[in-house]
Amino acid sequence: DDTEAITIMNALQHLGFNVPEQVGVTGFNNSFLSQYSYPALTTIDIQEIHLGKTSAQTILAALNGSNHLDNLVKVPVNLVKRDSA
């Protein structure tokens, strides 16, 4: 997630690597803090509200005896381009 990516980015910079010139870093979940890291973290926005809604619908369908649990569920994501990659 973004917290881990920011921690890794900071460690790389501490070791003398230039982000993103030498190493690109991308996070996952578009946390509030990702825009304030240095450099600002490129991340994947997983649209948590849509993910939660889809998860709840899947659980309710299973509780109601639906046999469609083998279907692949795709949740839309967006790349949020910032300065770290």
Side-chain angles (χ1 to χ4, degrees):
D1 71 350
D2 285 354
T3 303
E4 299 299 326
I6 291 169
T7 301
I8 290 168
M9 190 167 54
N10 288 336
L12 286 167
Q13 291 171 334
H14 181 73
L15 292 170
F17 291 95
N18 291 321
V19 177
E21 291 82 5
Q22 292 178 297
V23 181
V25 179
T26 302
F28 188 84
N29 76 350
N30 195 23
S31 74
F32 176 74
L33 295 177
S34 62
Q35 61 188 321
Y36 298 110
S37 64
Y38 183 79
L41 183 66
T42 296
T43 186
I44 302 292
D45 185 352
I46 61 172
Q47 301 179 18
E48 292 173 340
I49 292 173
H50 189 273
L51 181 62
K53 182 178 177 181
T54 302
S55 298
Q57 289 171 340
T58 302
I59 291 169
L60 290 173
L63 293 173
N64 290 324
S66 174
N67 60 356
H68 298 290
L69 298 179
D70 293 332
N71 294 341
L72 178 65
V73 176
K74 294 182 180 181
V75 177
V77 298
N78 294 312
L79 176 64
V80 180
K81 294 180 183 180
R82 295 195 179 107
D83 299 328
S84 69

